[in-house]
């Protein structure tokens, strides 16, 4: 560990210990308990560790779960679970609740998604689909650019955006080599990889971890369910509109001088066997079940495990394939879920910090637009420097408490309510693409040597700002999710007052509004 990280670690520990050890009165929050204070300290610890990248992000998540088990649960350090008089502290969590973060339904959703993506690559479905999808775009450079944007976006909805970026760069590299010196169009083509990969993940609940974090917290905190199909119906149109906007931006900034481009993607050289057919059929059935959840009533989280079971039982998915699953992503989001559990009311198995926070801050009197803007900008800026998964895991549980407080303001419903706020923040995390370090696809594109940091910064800033504004309008006014009722701030730690009736009403969207997306 270098000196910079050592200093960062020491500073993090000092701040965390201070927040842990000071009297609860220091926070100025009425009713704050000792265990809630520990949760605050753990939040700050996680934030600093993720921001400073002292250790890998997923390692921090695992550490957070272990520390929570030790200092917040009924099977942790028993002598720390009583006060000076020997009475049990209020809000002790069940250890099973915290450990279940590793098997949260959304974690299982991602596990199934990873299995599908691994099989698609193993049996050549990705190459076959890429050939089919790019063929209609012809040889006009502008249309080829649009083709790459669309195909990468579609792939990123179901595959790791990192894997998608790496695969598409392999197809794009020979094309980039044919460009004459001075043709700015090749910069735009190279930038299409990270732009489309980052935007494309917004389209489905398995497209990127922030989506899963949003869905999980909405269900855990409020009992609100957003199915795979419902998310896709709302978010895919948003993705494709943003892809068209990005297409225009890239052409304006990096115009083509070349008049013709030949895209030659090699045919799938993997032998076609019965397992190849099985993967195609399983892939299609899984997507169909995800899209028809409202009809079949089978949870998308359960559907995600069906292909895994099919592939394992038929020997299609082997022990070597298991090693390709991105366990670091699964464990990273699990740590965020554990923090979210700790925010829950005592009656739901948490420490009650969320209710205490709501009761301490007059969220109901705040400007709704201002809260959206601040939350979105904080998430966007943080995600440019640390993992967007870590940013979402840190901010979304806090914003769930904030949205509970805002439900006392009737105007909150007119801006889409809780679902709009949480999904907007998740979308902001995916729109962060200012620098090579912002996302893995950015780094992959930068590795071509064709892109300068200033080029990425310009495109990332323009697409990002447009995306933030459009996401806000899309989720709050154009095509908001159905606005479920949200409990108003608790009057005590265990009593909850029903939200005003106006919050429970679904928002009526103008019939002329565009039907679309959000992530």
């Amino acid at each position: 560990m270098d000196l910079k990280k050592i200093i960062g670690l020491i500073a993090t520990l000092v701040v965390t210990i201070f927040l842990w050890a000071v009297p609860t009165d220091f926070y100025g929050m009425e009713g704050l308990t000792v265990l809630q204070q520990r949760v605050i300290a753990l939040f700050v610890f996680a934030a600093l560790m993720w921001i400073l990248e002292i250790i890998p992000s997923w390692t921090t998540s695992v550490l957070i779960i272990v520390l929570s088990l030790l200092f917040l649960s009924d099977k942790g350090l028993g002598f720390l679970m009583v006060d000076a008089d020997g009475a049990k502290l209020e809000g002790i969590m069940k250890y099973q609740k915290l450990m279940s973060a590793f098997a949260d339904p959304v974690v299982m959703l991602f596990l199934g998604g990873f299995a599908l993506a691994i099989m698609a690559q193993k049996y050549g479905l990705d190459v076959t689909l890429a050939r089919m999808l790019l063929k209609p775009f012809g040889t006009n450079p502008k249309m080829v650019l649009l083709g790459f944007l669309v195909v990468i976006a579609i792939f990123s909805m179901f595959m790791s955006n990192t894997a998608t970026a790496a695969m598409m760069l392999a197809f794009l590299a020979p094309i980039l080599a044919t460009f004459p010196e001075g043709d700015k169009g090749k910069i735009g083509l190279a930038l299409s990889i990270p732009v489309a990969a980052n935007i494309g993940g917004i389209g489905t609940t398995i497209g990127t971890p922030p989506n899963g974090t949003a869905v999980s917290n909405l269900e855990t905190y409020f009992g609100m369910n957003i199915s795979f199909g419902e998310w896709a119906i709302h978010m895919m149109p948003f993705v494709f509109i943003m892809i068209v906007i990005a297409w225009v931006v890239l052409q304006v900034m990096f115009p083509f001088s070349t008049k013709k481009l030949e895209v030659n993607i090699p045919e799938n050289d993997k032998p076609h066997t019965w397992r190849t057919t099985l993967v195609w059929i399983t892939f299609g059935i899984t997507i169909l079940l995800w899209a028809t959840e409202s009809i079949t009533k089978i949870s998308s989280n359960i559907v995600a495990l069906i292909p895994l079971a099919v592939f394992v039982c038929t020997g299609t998915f082997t022990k070597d394939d298991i090693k390709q699953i991105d366990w670091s992503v699964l464990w990273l989001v699990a740590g965020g879920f554990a923090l979210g559990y700790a925010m829950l009311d005592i009656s739901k198995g948490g420490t009650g910090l969320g209710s205490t926070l709501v009761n301490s801050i007059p969220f109901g009197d705040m400007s709704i637009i201002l809260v959206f803007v601040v939350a979105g900008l904080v998430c966007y800026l943080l995600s440019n420097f640390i993992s967007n998964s870590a940013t979402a895991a840190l901010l979304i549980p806090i914003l769930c408490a904030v949205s509970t407080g805002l439900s006392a303001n009737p105007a909150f419903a007119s801006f889409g309510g809780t679902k709009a706020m949480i999904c907007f923040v998740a979308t902001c995390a995916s729109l962060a693409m200012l620098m090579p370090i912002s996302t893995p696809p950015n780094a992959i594109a930068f590795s071509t040597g064709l892109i300068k940091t200033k080029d990425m910064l310009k495109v990332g800033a323009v697409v990002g700002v447009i995306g933030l504004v459009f996401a806000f309008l899309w989720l709050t006014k154009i095509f908001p999710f159905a606005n479920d009722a949200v409990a108003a701030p608790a009057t005590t730690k265990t009593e909850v007052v029903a939200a005003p009736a106006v919050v429970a009403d679904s928002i009526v969207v103008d019939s002329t509004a565009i039907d679309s997306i959000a992530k």
Side-chain angles (χ1 to χ4, degrees):
M1 186 179 294
D2 58 33
L3 181 60
K4 183 179 178 180
K5 289 187 176 182
I6 292 175
I7 294 174
L9 178 60
I10 293 173
T12 298
L13 292 176
V14 169
V15 172
T16 302
I17 292 172
F18 172 79
L19 294 175
W20 190 294
V22 295
T24 55
D25 294 343
F26 170 81
Y27 292 89
M29 298 170 62
E30 184 178 353
L32 185 71
T33 68
V34 172
L35 287 179
Q36 291 170 5
Q37 178 181 357
R38 292 177 189 175
V39 175
I40 293 174
L42 287 175
F43 258 100
V44 173
F45 174 77
L48 292 175
M49 294 293 282
W50 279 330
I51 292 172
L52 299 176
E53 295 183 324
I54 297 169
I55 56 178
S57 297
W58 65 269
T59 309
T60 297
S61 286
V62 173
L63 183 58
I64 287 297
I65 295 177
V66 173
L67 292 175
S68 297
L69 287 166
L70 289 173
F71 298 111
L72 302 177
S73 79
D74 57 351
K75 298 297 183 181
L77 298 173
F79 67 93
L80 292 177
M81 301 301 160
V82 296
D83 59 20
D85 298 325
K88 288 181 63 175
L89 295 175
E90 185 180 18
I92 296 175
M93 300 181 66
K94 295 289 186 181
Y95 82 99
Q96 296 97 326
K97 181 73 172 179
L98 288 166
M99 295 191 77
S100 69
F102 284 115
D104 186 276
V106 173
V107 172
M108 296 300 102
L109 181 66
F110 274 101
L111 182 62
F114 286 154
L116 279 175
I118 292 168
M119 291 300 95
Q121 290 177 301
K122 182 177 181 179
Y123 291 94
L125 269 67
D126 51 356
V127 175
T128 302
L129 285 171
R131 284 175 57 85
M132 292 170 53
L133 293 171
L134 281 173
K135 187 176 181 180
F137 292 94
T139 59
N140 184 310
K142 294 180 180 179
M143 297 307 296
V144 171
L145 173 62
L146 178 61
F148 270 95
L149 286 166
V150 170
V151 172
I152 294 169
I154 292 174
F155 275 42
S156 293
M157 293 179 189
F158 303 97
M159 294 175 57
S160 157
N161 59 9
T162 304
T164 299
M167 177 185 72
M168 297 307 290
L169 178 61
F171 299 153
L172 192 57
I175 300 173
L176 295 174
T178 65
F179 272 80
E181 189 69 27
D183 191 335
K184 293 183 177 180
K186 62 182 177 182
I187 300 176
L189 264 177
L191 281 169
S192 71
I193 294 175
V195 170
N198 293 322
I199 294 175
I202 297 171
T204 66
T205 51
I206 64 169
T208 185
N211 298 1
T213 300
V215 170
S216 177
N217 277 273
L218 284 170
E219 184 169 4
T220 301
Y221 210 96
F222 303 106
M224 296 178 177
N225 177 56
I226 297 181
S227 67
F228 182 96
E230 183 183 3
W231 183 287
I233 288 171
H234 281 76
M235 308 303 286
M236 283 186 180
F238 172 85
V239 167
F240 289 120
I241 292 173
M242 282 301 303
I243 287 297
V244 172
I245 292 173
W247 178 51
V248 173
V249 170
L250 288 172
Q251 288 184 76
V252 171
M253 290 188 172
F254 307 103
F256 289 97
S257 58
T258 300
K259 302 301 180 183
K260 185 178 180 180
L261 282 179
E262 293 285 349
V263 180
N264 296 312
I265 297 178
E267 292 188 17
N268 177 20
D269 58 358
K270 296 179 173 63
H272 188 98
T273 66
W274 65 269
R275 286 195 171 94
T276 307
T277 303
L278 176 69
V279 172
W280 274 104
I281 294 174
T282 304
F283 199 102
I285 292 176
T286 302
I287 300 300
L288 180 63
L289 287 173
W290 274 335
T292 58
E293 181 179 344
S294 61
I295 299 174
T296 65
K297 306 302 180 184
I298 305 175
S299 169
S300 56
N301 304 316
I302 296 175
V303 171
L305 295 179
I306 294 176
L308 185 60
V310 171
F311 295 149
V312 170
C313 292
T314 57
T316 306
F317 192 92
T318 67
K319 64 180 182 180
D320 291 327
D321 297 320
I322 294 176
K323 299 174 185 177
Q324 297 183 48
I325 292 177
D326 198 340
W327 296 101
S328 63
V329 170
L330 299 181
W331 287 2
L332 172 59
V333 297
F337 293 158
L339 287 175
Y341 296 165
M343 293 281 290
L344 294 173
D345 288 343
I346 294 175
S347 61
K348 295 182 179 180
T351 66
L353 177 59
S355 294
T356 301
L357 180 64
V358 168
N359 291 334
S360 301
I361 304 174
F363 291 116
D365 299 328
M366 291 183 177
S367 165
I368 303 300
I369 295 179
L370 180 61
V371 174
F372 268 92
V373 170
V374 171
L377 284 177
V378 169
C379 184
Y380 174 76
L381 293 173
L382 271 178
S383 294
N384 276 295
F385 297 95
I386 66 174
S387 160
N388 60 7
S389 305
T391 302
L394 180 68
L395 293 180
I396 286 178
I398 297 174
L399 291 171
C400 283
V402 170
S403 66
T404 303
L406 289 173
S407 66
N409 187 336
F412 188 43
S414 68
F415 284 93
T418 299
K419 285 184 179 179
M421 173 171 284
I422 301 305
C423 295
F424 170 66
V425 171
T427 303
C428 291
S430 294
L431 290 170
M433 53 183 108
L434 289 177
M435 297 173 293
I437 63 169
S438 296
T439 68
N442 282 31
I444 289 172
F446 189 75
S447 69
T448 63
L450 298 174
I451 304 170
K452 296 180 180 179
T453 301
K454 65 178 182 180
D455 296 328
M456 189 170 285
L457 185 63
K458 285 191 300 184
V459 172
V462 173
V463 174
V465 170
I466 293 174
L468 292 177
V469 174
F470 183 48
F472 173 75
L473 295 174
W474 184 267
L475 287 167
T476 61
K477 297 298 181 183
I478 300 175
F479 194 22
F481 286 92
N483 191 18
D484 298 342
V486 181
T491 55
T492 68
K493 293 183 182 63
T494 56
E495 298 176 359
V496 177
V497 178
V502 66
V503 180
D505 294 338
S506 296
I507 294 177
V508 178
V509 183
D510 183 9
S511 61
T512 60
I514 301 173
D515 291 339
S516 234
I517 279 179
K519 173 203 164 191

